[in-house]
Amino acid sequence: MQPGTQRARQARADELMRVADRVLAWERAPAGSHIDITLLSAAAMRRANRRATGRRGLTDVIAYALPQPDGRMVGDVYICPTAAAAAAGARNGVTLNDELVRLAVHGTLHVLGYDHPEGPGRTRSRMWQLQERYVTRLLR
């Protein structure tokens, strides 16, 4: 990978960590809570998905919560820009940046303990509604 590409990927991850920080603040997470966001290639995300869920194939986001004994929430969110680009392309008017913000919010909410059902009820869940409200705020 070219050095400029790595710097650009890190800069994008840093921007998405600021998104996560905003969500932590809006959710009134305990002081000192923190989420690290890492952008993974499609191959790396497939491997991570297999290890995390036992499922084969590409996924867009994986989140790990590491609650601390003092109440702080610490977590890791892995996002695949390749999968995000495919999802953005499938929805009219959604940019890659929009989708990356959505995934950062989504992963952060998972770290905070929110969940959603699989299937058609997913977009009607409390988590999804909250996610879309935060995405709208962030993309204004």
Side-chain angles (χ1 to χ4, degrees):
M1 179 176 287
Q2 297 173 352
T5 304
Q6 182 61 32
R7 278 194 294 273
R9 183 174 286 192
Q10 187 57 53
R12 175 72 56 98
D14 291 345
E15 290 172 21
L16 295 173
M17 282 191 281
R18 286 190 287 279
V19 165
D21 287 343
R22 300 268 310 268
V23 173
L24 290 172
W26 289 334
E27 285 292 307
R28 296 181 177 89
S33 294
H34 178 76
I35 293 178
D36 282 316
I37 295 183
T38 304
L39 301 178
L40 296 179
S41 68
M45 186 59 109
R46 282 186 189 94
R47 287 189 301 273
N49 191 31
R50 176 89 171 168
R51 281 192 304 268
T53 67
R55 295 183 201 138
R56 292 183 186 266
L58 187 60
T59 191
D60 50 9
V61 63
I62 297 174
Y64 296 97
L66 306 163
Q68 302 299 296
D70 62 4
R72 290 178 301 124
M73 292 304 300
V74 176
D76 291 316
V77 175
Y78 298 91
I79 296 174
C80 179
T82 302
R91 293 197 308 226
N92 193 21
V94 175
T95 68
L96 175 58
N97 183 66
D98 294 350
E99 192 62 20
L100 290 171
V101 167
R102 179 170 284 104
L103 293 173
V105 171
H106 189 89
T108 301
L109 291 174
H110 273 308
V111 168
L112 291 172
Y114 288 92
D115 207 359
H116 55 79
E118 294 299 320
R122 172 185 197 136
T123 59
R124 292 187 304 274
S125 69
R126 175 164 163 35
M127 177 185 168
W128 202 274
Q129 299 300 315
L130 187 58
Q131 167 191 295
E132 292 306 304
R133 186 170 48 226
Y134 288 156
V135 168
T136 298
R137 274 190 203 175
L138 289 158
L139 295 178
R140 276 193 237 157

